[in-house]
């Protein structure tokens, strides 16, 4: 997302060479979703550049390639997984979690496949799973079964909260497109580990986005008081103001838990002058 077009020259300096774009994003937010890795395994040199542009405590939540999760559905993936893990190795401590996003067709009946896959993964990384089949949310037995499998692997369950988006009819082109593409996910706010990860999708109207995240301010503040270290990703359908909204969410949580460190000051989008 650090190359998002609407941020260039407005939130992030423009033009910037590829070797500096992530560094400017990292002055706004201290975590990023690695969604592009879903489409292709990045070159190791590219990943090394990401590491060079960020501090060791910056958090990458990196999505596994769709070849592994969607095409092969977690079976016969040892070679592909080995290549991927080698490519992202330069991230070192920045690799906060490997994100296993499963297709909507991956149902409770497939949990044994997930359990076998998680057991084969190296213990050197943390893992977080996102499911989209309604059975995991509607059927208490299936919910408990998935929780047991994830807990056994010390893996987190990533909730994707789209309730704000679907609360009322869309009012922009981006929202209308999101209505056709995003899943209608029930609200889930239970952490299985000390490092919960949440994905929240609001509206293009910032006020409605803020209104929709009030529940998460309570939840995340509670997690912090429990000694957990949550990661929260804020999205809107057009993502035009996502970095500023992410910082606003951080401020809202910090107002409840003052011991939370402040975010750094963003690098100015335009060079500073004397006039």
């Amino acid at each position: 997302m650090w190359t998002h077009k609407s941020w260039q020259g407005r939130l992030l300096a423009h033009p910037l060479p590829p070797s500096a774009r992530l560094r400017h994003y990292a002055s706004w937010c201290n975590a990023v979703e690695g969604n592009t890795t879903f489409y292709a395994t990045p070159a190791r040199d590219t990943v090394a550049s990401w590491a060079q542009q960020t501090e060791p405590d910056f958090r990458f939540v990196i999505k596994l390639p769709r070849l592994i999760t969607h095409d092969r559905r977690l079976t016969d993936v040892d070679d592909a997984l080995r290549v991927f893990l080698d490519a992202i190795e330069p991230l070192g401590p920045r690799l906060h979690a490997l994100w296993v996003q499963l297709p909507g067709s991956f149902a409770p009946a497939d949990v044994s496949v997930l359990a076998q896959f998680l057991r084969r993964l190296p213990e050197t990384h943390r893992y977080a799973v996102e499911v989209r089949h309604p059975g995991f949310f509607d059927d208490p037995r299936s919910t408990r079964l998935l929780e047991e499998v994830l807990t056994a692997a010390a893996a987190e369950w990533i909730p994707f909260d789209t309730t704000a988006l679907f609360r009322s009819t869309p009012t922009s082109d981006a929202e209308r497109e999101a209505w056709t593409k995003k899943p209608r996910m029930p609200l889930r706010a239970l952490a299985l580990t000390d490092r919960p990860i949440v994905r929240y999708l609001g509206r293009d109207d910032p006020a409605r986005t803020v209104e929709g995240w009030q529940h998460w301010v309570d939840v995340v503040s509670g997690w912090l008081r429990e000694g957990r270290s949550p990661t929260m990703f804020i999205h809107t359908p057009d993502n035009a103001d996502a970095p500023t909204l992410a910082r606003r969410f951080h401020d809202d949580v910090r107002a409840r838990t003052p011991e939370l460190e402040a975010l750094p000051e963003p690098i100015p989008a335009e060079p500073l002058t004397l006039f």
Side-chain angles (χ1 to χ4, degrees):
M1 287 298 294
W2 58 83
T3 59
H4 193 55
K5 185 176 180 180
S6 70
W7 302 349
Q8 310 308 312
R10 185 170 64 90
L11 302 179
L12 308 181
H14 182 76
L16 285 172
S19 60
R21 293 171 185 167
L22 175 55
R23 181 178 296 111
H24 281 238
Y25 167 88
S27 73
W28 280 86
C29 301
N30 55 11
V32 72
E33 291 178 341
N35 190 56
T36 58
T37 55
F38 179 71
Y39 302 99
T41 296
R44 188 180 170 96
D45 288 348
T46 298
V47 177
S49 171
W50 298 348
Q52 291 163 7
Q53 294 180 63
T54 53
E55 297 297 327
D57 60 351
F58 186 87
R59 297 181 177 187
F60 285 86
V61 178
I62 297 290
K63 190 185 290 189
L64 288 182
R66 64 181 173 189
L67 173 67
I68 294 172
T69 56
H70 287 55
D71 297 345
R72 297 184 181 174
R73 298 173 67 87
L74 308 183
T75 61
D76 191 24
V77 296
D78 289 352
D79 290 343
L81 183 63
R82 191 178 305 111
V83 169
F84 181 74
L85 292 178
D86 178 71
I88 62 173
E89 189 272 336
L91 290 178
R94 300 163 185 80
L95 182 54
H96 185 69
L98 284 172
W99 171 15
V100 186
Q101 185 187 78
L102 295 171
S105 59
F106 196 95
D110 302 309
V111 166
S112 61
V113 176
L114 174 62
Q116 293 172 13
F117 174 75
L118 292 174
R119 282 197 292 267
R120 296 199 308 272
L121 294 174
E123 296 181 359
T124 49
H125 300 300
R126 296 186 187 90
Y127 302 93
V129 177
E130 179 185 337
V131 293
R132 296 188 169 187
H133 192 284
F136 289 114
F137 303 89
D138 299 339
D139 176 28
R141 183 179 176 184
S142 297
T143 302
R144 287 194 301 271
L145 179 60
L146 178 58
E147 289 176 344
E148 290 169 0
V149 166
L150 295 176
T151 300
E156 189 54 81
W157 181 336
I158 301 181
F160 183 23
D161 180 10
T162 61
T163 56
L165 173 67
F166 291 109
R167 191 164 294 148
S168 58
T169 55
T171 59
S172 69
D173 289 343
E175 289 185 355
R176 280 184 280 274
E177 182 179 5
W179 262 52
T180 66
K181 294 183 176 180
K182 301 301 182 184
R184 294 182 181 239
M185 306 299 292
L187 184 63
R188 175 185 165 83
L190 270 176
L192 300 180
T193 72
D194 64 341
R195 300 213 173 187
I197 300 168
V198 176
R199 307 182 65 228
Y200 167 76
L201 177 61
R203 306 292 295 255
D204 286 337
D205 178 356
R208 299 178 77 180
T209 296
V210 171
E211 177 187 12
W213 78 33
Q214 294 307 311
H215 168 78
W216 288 111
V217 173
D218 294 335
V219 171
V220 171
S221 298
W223 284 340
L224 289 167
R225 287 191 292 270
E226 293 169 358
R228 302 180 198 263
S229 182
T231 304
M232 183 84 181
F233 293 110
I234 303 295
H235 290 279
T236 67
D238 64 11
N239 277 318
D241 296 310
T244 57
L245 287 166
R247 292 177 69 89
R248 181 170 175 180
F249 180 85
H250 186 277
D251 289 342
D252 285 358
V253 172
R254 193 161 178 251
R256 305 276 189 91
T257 52
E259 63 273 20
L260 181 63
E261 288 187 19
L263 291 171
E265 284 300 312
I267 299 172
E270 297 180 0
L272 296 175
T273 68
L274 297 177
F275 306 100

